[in-house]
Amino acid sequence: MTGAQIIGTGSYLPERIVTNAELAQRIDTTDEWIVSRTGIRTRRIAAPGELTSEMAIHAARLALEMAETKPSEVGMIVVGTITPDMPMPSCAVFVQHGIGATNAFAFDIAAACAGSLYGLSIAAQYVRSGVVKRALVIGVEMLSSVTNWSDRNTCVLFADGAGAMVIAPCDDERRGIQTIHLHSDGALADLLTIRAGGTKFPITQELLDQNAHKVAMAGREVYRVAVTYLSSALQEAMDANRLKAADISRLVAHQANLRILQSVLEKHGIPLEKAWINIDRYGNNSSASIPISLDEAVRGGAIKKGDVVAMLALGAGICWGSAIVRW
Ligand code: UT7
């Protein structure tokens, strides 16, 4: 069996920049609180009428360009999103049509902030087995559409964006995706939810009035879980690859809270400078976070051939995991 590698990345951020100061005019918060508790200074919010699939298409085109891959060469498209254009069909089929990937099968996965890592894992299996020659993995989220803008506990965090990765076979076993470890803990499902809109709580006017169709999060509890699970996920990844902390060249992690990243890296003695940080500029854009960060790091020259890249993500579910990629 061959390996799998990431041969192209792309990202898209909506134009509109929303500052902490702007939010402080609407809700009871301050720039100081948001920066000190989360690291977020600004976030990007999609324009009215802009679609999730359109953001994904922008990112996908850039990733295909870098990968020198024609849309017709793409065999599968996996989109990690909890904010698709509509409940059915998937966001992925709109992307498939939008980029003209007429030979690809396409589907969404719902793993929230871990979506692009889950998607990468699925795509890597198809590529390794030889079933697919080129796979497109996208993390895209329009969290502004499911944010309760009157809830200061969450509305200062969430944002919009898209990132894409092109996966191809790799014959050099020292390069490419080395390991991906995924985990879920459904016992903690209640910590981070959009309650209404499914079969358990079909939409009613009462639920709409309660904002039950928007994200609700037990922030402090998710924070604690995130630090614990992400730390052990990083250890699991290093152990599986016989890596020491010093061997990791670059950390590309989901950007939920700067303090979470700091705590995880501190536990492992990894300097924060090794982490690609953009939460200050983009906020938490869920599944888009890892591919956007990866794209910025690759295009900015912060990831070079031979580098060992560790990826980490955790989100609703709770779903989390890690990847080790040798560039
Ligand atoms: O991406 C998916 C995974 N998500 C995460 O990993 C997020 C994990 N959680 C977090 O990042 C943090 O828990 C938050 C950023 C959400 C909250 O930070 P915190 O330091 O855990 O704050 P807290 O929830 O413990 O709240 C502390 C205080 C509370 O006031 P009292 O009860 O102590 O008087 C909150 O009401 O801060 C208050 N607060 C705010 N104050 C000003 C909460 N949100 C705000 C706000 N502005 N926006």
Side-chain angles (χ1 to χ4, degrees), residues 27-30 33-34 37-38 113 152-154 156-158 192 217-224 226 254-257 259-260 284 286 314-316:
I27 50 157
D28 180 16
T29 192
T30 59
W33 191 95
I34 301 171
R37 299 293 182 111
T38 71
C113 303
R152 70 174 184 172
N153 292 294
T154 53
V156 300
L157 309 171
F158 299 133
L192 185 43
M217 177 169 73
R220 211 175 297 184
E221 287 76 10
V222 175
Y223 187 102
R224 268 200 296 271
H254 168 48
Q255 317 264 319
N257 188 320
R259 290 188 297 136
I260 293 178
N284 177 350
S286 188
L314 175 138

Side-chain angles (χ1 to χ4, degrees), residues 4-6 117 120 124 128 173-182 233-245 247-252 270 294 306-312 321-327:
Q5 61 183 330
I6 300 166
L117 208 50
L120 186 63
R128 279 198 191 107
E173 64 182 25
R174 291 159 304 174
R175 292 191 57 209
I177 300 163
Q178 303 292 303
T179 55
I180 301 183
H181 292 93
L182 302 178
L234 182 54
Q235 191 60 54
E236 181 179 38
M238 292 196 298
D239 290 347
N241 292 276
R242 295 195 182 83
L243 294 172
K244 294 189 283 299
D247 299 325
I248 299 203
S249 325
R250 182 65 63 189
L251 195 97
V252 175
I270 299 175
L294 187 67
D307 278 354
V308 175
V309 179
M311 298 181 183
L312 283 180
S322 67
I324 296 289
V325 181
R326 273 184 202 273
W327 214 256

Side-chain angles (χ1 to χ4, degrees), residues 9-11 13 66 164 249-253 255 273-278 281-282 289-305 307-311 327:
T9 60
S11 57
L13 279 311
M66 186 191 286
S249 325
R250 182 65 63 189
L251 195 97
V252 175
Q255 317 264 319
E273 295 68 50
K274 283 196 176 179
W276 186 263
I277 307 287
N278 56 21
R281 290 173 287 142
Y282 302 149
S289 182
I290 283 183
I292 290 173
S293 300
L294 187 67
D295 184 48
E296 286 191 333
V298 168
R299 287 177 195 265
I303 293 178
K304 296 180 287 301
K305 194 171 174 195
D307 278 354
V308 175
V309 179
M311 298 181 183
W327 214 256

Side-chain angles (χ1 to χ4, degrees), residues 66-260:
M66 186 191 286
E68 297 179 356
T69 298
K70 294 195 209 70
S72 60
E73 292 170 325
V74 176
M76 72 185 287
I77 301 173
V78 192
V79 175
T81 189
I82 53 148
T83 50
D85 294 9
M86 48 180 87
M88 188 179 82
S90 67
C91 182
V93 297
F94 293 115
V95 176
Q96 185 238 0
H97 181 61
I99 62 172
T102 44
N103 297 314
F105 61 93
F107 60 96
D108 289 359
I109 49 159
C113 303
S116 44
L117 208 50
Y118 271 58
L120 186 63
S121 168
I122 297 166
Q125 302 294 350
Y126 271 94
V127 170
R128 279 198 191 107
S129 65
V131 173
V132 162
K133 294 267 182 297
R134 292 288 183 278
L136 191 53
V137 177
I138 298 170
V140 60
E141 220 65 87
M142 199 183 288
L143 291 182
S144 60
S145 69
V146 289
T147 295
N148 175 356
W149 288 102
S150 59
D151 176 14
R152 70 174 184 172
N153 292 294
T154 53
C155 78
V156 300
L157 309 171
F158 299 133
D160 305 334
M165 302 175 274
V166 178
I167 321 302
C170 173
D171 289 331
D172 182 351
E173 64 182 25
R174 291 159 304 174
R175 292 191 57 209
I177 300 163
Q178 303 292 303
T179 55
I180 301 183
H181 292 93
L182 302 178
H183 300 279
S184 306
D185 186 351
L188 301 177
D190 284 345
L191 294 184
L192 185 43
T193 55
I194 296 175
R195 262 187 335 122
T199 55
K200 189 166 183 180
F201 299 108
I203 292 285
T204 60
Q205 189 56 49
E206 196 185 351
L207 288 172
L208 290 177
D209 293 343
Q210 293 167 7
N211 269 315
H213 58 308
K214 305 286 182 177
V215 176
M217 177 169 73
R220 211 175 297 184
E221 287 76 10
V222 175
Y223 187 102
R224 268 200 296 271
V225 168
V227 172
T228 308
Y229 284 4
L230 290 174
S231 296
S232 56
L234 182 54
Q235 191 60 54
E236 181 179 38
M238 292 196 298
D239 290 347
N241 292 276
R242 295 195 182 83
L243 294 172
K244 294 189 283 299
D247 299 325
I248 299 203
S249 325
R250 182 65 63 189
L251 195 97
V252 175
H254 168 48
Q255 317 264 319
N257 188 320
L258 186 59
R259 290 188 297 136
I260 293 178

